[in-house]
Amino acid sequence: MILKECVERALGEDGRGSIMRFLLDRDLADCKDDGERWRSLFEKCDRWERELLLWSDDTYIKGISGWNMFIRVCCCRLPEESADWMAYLYRTSLLAILRYDQYADEAGRRKITEHARNSSQWKDSYSCGFDEEYILETGFAELTRGEWLDEINGFWVTSWETWQEDWNTITNNPEYVEAMEINYPKFKSILERLEREVGDCEVVRMNRHGGDETVWYFVKTQSDFYVVNLTDAM
């Protein structure tokens, strides 16, 4: 199965619901309640990180459509040839989400787990706490390596040009200005690392730019698998 077909099969038509069903049927099938599911999911995420993750990085710069543009990259080991690619895509996608935000530290995890013990939200519209825009299938596209790199580099260039025009209008926010002095070079270094390390590859983009959803890139090389997402929304 080619990568685009696999990604569409895994995440197309209610991708978030598919992830939830996979978790309930497979990785969390032995859990008794939502609190136990969250606790177990965090433990499994830590295990997937040890088993799969080679490196990761993230940062944000001034947004184009919204306030800020976030980039998050997870470079993972490829599975064995006989592996279940559906499960692999679900787990690497979850890893890319659960390494950040309120899921990343013990205090945030404890708060989520304790709240879940007193609720039954796992199957409702906020299942697993994933924001709606994370998995919001607005289309899938195959890209060449060059198209993908040109696209993400183009966003950096557009943001940088906008920042050069606008930075002096927000000098009343020196902390943000200081962050951008760090983040623009860091964002660029992430793009340069991708260009340097990713050779021949298949690239599938999920979702469209310019809306409220997170745009995902799934990149399969001969030796590694990259999950890259960009969020640029109000």
Side-chain angles (χ1 to χ4, degrees):
M1 183 182 297
I2 64 174
L3 183 61
K4 183 171 182 287
E5 292 175 350
C6 195
V7 173
E8 285 191 271
R9 182 180 170 192
L11 298 171
E13 297 183 12
D14 187 23
R16 191 172 58 167
S18 296
I19 290 177
M20 294 303 103
R21 288 188 292 274
F22 165 78
L23 287 171
L24 290 170
D25 293 343
R26 293 274 297 273
D27 283 350
L28 307 179
D30 59 341
C31 297
K32 306 293 186 194
D33 56 41
D34 283 358
E36 179 67 15
R37 291 185 182 106
W38 272 110
R39 185 196 62 77
S40 180
L41 179 58
F42 289 137
E43 288 180 353
K44 287 180 169 60
C45 181
D46 290 341
R47 190 185 74 201
W48 300 334
E49 182 174 330
R50 293 191 298 270
E51 294 175 350
L52 298 174
L53 191 66
L54 296 173
W55 65 269
S56 67
D57 212 341
D58 69 287
T59 193
Y60 69 94
I61 55 180
K62 189 179 189 305
I64 298 171
S65 300
W67 294 112
N68 292 306
M69 178 185 294
F70 289 83
I71 187 170
R72 291 166 176 171
V73 179
C74 288
C75 175
C76 300
R77 294 180 179 87
L78 281 177
E80 300 292 331
E81 289 187 11
S82 60
D84 179 348
W85 262 89
M86 299 289 284
Y88 181 78
L89 284 168
Y90 290 140
R91 288 167 181 154
T92 52
S93 298
L94 283 164
L95 187 57
I97 294 172
L98 294 173
R99 283 180 54 74
Y100 300 104
D101 300 329
Q102 70 266 39
Y103 315 109
D105 58 49
E106 288 301 319
R109 290 180 172 192
R110 185 167 55 252
K111 182 178 179 180
I112 290 170
T113 302
E114 290 174 354
H115 175 74
R117 289 195 183 103
N118 301 308
S119 68
S120 57
Q121 292 184 330
W122 192 268
K123 296 180 181 179
D124 71 12
S125 60
Y126 296 98
S127 293
C128 214
F130 301 152
D131 292 337
E132 182 68 29
E133 65 267 18
Y134 269 126
I135 307 288
L136 189 66
E137 319 85 34
T138 55
F140 297 83
E142 287 182 297
L143 304 179
T144 66
R145 177 183 183 276
E147 288 171 336
W148 168 54
L149 293 173
D150 286 348
E151 186 165 285
I152 56 179
N153 273 284
F155 293 129
W156 184 92
V157 170
T158 300
S159 174
W160 173 250
E161 290 174 347
T162 303
W163 173 245
Q164 292 299 288
E165 296 173 358
D166 295 348
W167 73 270
N168 60 345
T169 66
I170 59 169
T171 52
N172 62 333
N173 190 346
E175 290 183 359
Y176 188 79
V177 173
E178 183 177 349
M180 291 303 99
E181 290 176 350
I182 297 170
N183 292 359
Y184 272 100
K186 184 177 181 181
F187 198 113
K188 187 63 173 175
S189 72
I190 292 173
L191 300 182
E192 289 171 346
R193 182 170 185 177
L194 290 173
E195 187 163 6
R196 185 171 63 249
E197 296 188 0
V198 177
D200 293 338
C201 60
E202 296 178 71
V203 183
V204 176
R205 183 184 65 208
M206 182 177 77
N207 295 334
R208 61 182 174 81
H209 287 285
D212 289 336
E213 59 269 37
T214 293
V215 178
W216 294 70
Y217 300 95
F218 300 93
V219 184
K220 181 177 180 290
T221 74
Q222 293 182 347
S223 57
D224 304 317
F225 187 77
Y226 295 79
V227 179
V228 180
N229 61 57
L230 284 175
T231 303
D232 178 24
M234 296 299 287

